[in-house]
Structures are given as structure tokens and as C-alpha cells.
Amino acid sequence: MNTKLVVGNWKMNGDLTANAALAGSLLLAMGTPRCAVAVCAPMPYLAQMQAILANSPVALGAQDVSSHADGAFTGEISGSMLRDFGVRYVIVGHSERRQYHGETDQLVADKVKQALAVGVTPIVCMGETLAQREAGATEEVVRRQLAAVVHGNGHCISEIVLAYEPVWAIGTGKTASPEQAQKVHAVLRAQLRAATDHAAGVKILYGGSMNAGNAAQLLVQSDIDGGLIGGASLKAQEFLAIIAAADAVAASA
Ligand code: 13P
């Protein structure tokens, strides 16, 4: 069985003092987890987090990357800039960026390409809105979102991480049931299988109100390879409990 991957998405939260306290608490109590762990910090704090996380079991992640390699793109951050700060993962196509910044499937695919080109692993987010779920369009939506990434990145698709994040479950306290999540993860896995011989090794994370109380039931599902955690990743004890749940599931597999 693959190791689980537990990723915190801090979103637009924190400051120098709070980040140091949160990361310090995590590292103090974490030991050596069996699963892979990362935190995705806001851009201005990448240097701070690079220093704090150096030689620790926690990898550094960012929350976005430009779809261009370099040039006159004011305000954008390139993949090679992220790599300069030791960034190992970058979240791409989060629903908050699709919704508030008009990111299209094509733009997301282009960003994935830029990340892959510099050796930063994109964590590509996809998921349906409540209206789409109620209209029975969940599978169609996630298949379309993944198809754009597969089309733009060919066999490199085996190098990405996927995150299924139903929009209606993000920050709402409503989690997809383990069965609902597993069903969509299986759809994504099947689609990956058609695109690469290495589909079994592609991690598919679940995100959306994952917390210490529900993590184990989600992570035990056969196609749920980890979590992308928002709110609960801002509380050290809660995030540590999710990591412990991931380790317990892996140990019992
Ligand atoms: P919450 O865990 O706060 O629901 O956020 C999930 C998410 O959007 C992670 O990227």
C-alpha cells in the first residue's frame, strides 16, 4: 500500500509569529510519521517556513503558481521561484481560485505544466458545487476537470497529486461521507488508469472539512490516499491527530 500524504492548506491565514508557533508545535510533537506531511503556506512566508521546516519530516508547499515560466506578469510567482525556496508541492486549481479568480480548466492545466517543468509536485484540486451534485453532475464535472490536466500533461500525469474537494464541503463542516468520497476517487482512479500505467501510484487526497474526528473513516477507503486539510491544519493538535489517524490506517493495512 502507498504511504498516505497529509497536507495542510493554511490559505490566507497566519503571520510571522503565528506561523512560528504553529510549525513549532507541530515539529515538537510529530516524531517521525509514517505518512508524508506537508504544509502549504502563503507566499510571503515561504522563506520563513523553509528555515523552520529544514531537516524536518514536514515538506513545504505553496498555494498557487503562475502558468508562465517568467516575464512581464506583474504579481505572479513562477515555479522556479517556488523551487528557490525549497517548495516541494504546490496547490493548483483550488476551488477558491476557480471561483474567485476565474481559473479555468485550461489555466489549471497550464499551471500544472509549469510546476512539473521545475520539479515541484502539483496538487491539483477538483470537485463539484452543491448545485452540480444535486443535478447529478458530480462525475461529469470531476472527469472534465481531470481530462484537461491529462490532455495538457500527457504521460507526466503520473507525477501529480490529485485532491478531490467537493466545494460544498469546504469550510462548511459538511464532509462527504466516506462512501461518497470513495465513489468519486474511484472514478478519478479509473480515468487515470486510462491515461497512465502508473495510476495506482498517483495519490488522490480528499479535502473538505476533514478533521480529527472523521479522518480515519475517510483515510481507510481504498482510493483515498491522504487529505488536504484547511481549517483543521491551523490547529496543531487537530492536524497532528489527522497525521496519527493516517499512520494508524497505514499500520493496519
Ligand atoms: P477545510 O478543511 O477548511 O474544509 O478546507 C479544505 C480545503 O479547501 C483544503 O484545500
Side-chain angles (χ1 to χ4, degrees), residues 14-72:
D15 55 38
L16 287 170
T17 309
N19 297 345
L22 175 55
S25 306
L26 286 178
L27 295 184
L28 199 64
M30 186 172 293
T32 309
R34 188 187 284 252
C35 62
V37 179
V39 292
C40 297
M43 298 290 187
Y45 300 114
L46 292 179
Q48 179 200 19
M49 295 311 298
Q50 181 185 25
I52 293 176
L53 300 178
N55 304 313
S56 86
V58 181
L60 180 57
Q63 299 174 15
D64 188 26
V65 64
S66 174
S67 59
H68 301 280
D70 54 35

Side-chain angles (χ1 to χ4, degrees), residues 4-175:
K4 303 281 184 195
L5 170 61
V6 177
V7 181
N9 174 8
W10 288 359
K11 307 194 180 183
M12 198 173 74
N13 292 292
D15 55 38
L16 287 170
T17 309
N19 297 345
L22 175 55
S25 306
L26 286 178
L27 295 184
L28 199 64
M30 186 172 293
T32 309
R34 188 187 284 252
C35 62
V37 179
V39 292
C40 297
M43 298 290 187
Y45 300 114
L46 292 179
Q48 179 200 19
M49 295 311 298
Q50 181 185 25
I52 293 176
L53 300 178
N55 304 313
S56 86
V58 181
L60 180 57
Q63 299 174 15
D64 188 26
V65 64
S66 174
S67 59
H68 301 280
D70 54 35
F73 300 102
T74 302
E76 293 281 278
I77 311 275
S78 71
S80 60
M81 292 172 185
L82 297 181
R83 205 188 42 194
D84 259 353
F85 288 90
V87 167
R88 176 81 204 286
Y89 297 98
V90 62
I91 296 170
V92 177
H94 193 280
S95 62
E96 288 151 13
R97 294 211 59 86
R98 293 180 191 259
Q99 187 179 352
Y100 306 135
H101 301 271
E103 294 200 1
T104 61
D105 292 343
Q106 182 59 53
L107 185 76
V108 171
D110 292 344
K111 290 185 170 195
V112 168
K113 194 181 230 167
Q114 289 299 328
L116 289 173
V118 297
V120 174
T121 301
I123 299 174
V124 190
C125 302
M126 44 204 59
E128 80 289 0
T129 63
L130 185 59
Q132 288 166 332
R133 173 160 285 267
E134 285 174 352
T138 299
E139 293 186 13
E140 179 195 326
V141 169
V142 296
R143 287 181 62 84
R144 189 202 71 223
Q145 290 172 330
L146 178 54
V149 178
V150 169
H151 184 254
N153 292 276
H155 66 275
C156 293
I157 201 72
S158 61
E159 306 299 319
I160 71 171
V161 170
L162 288 186
Y164 169 55
E165 298 207 312
V167 178
W168 49 271
I170 295 177
T172 58
K174 277 187 216 153
T175 323

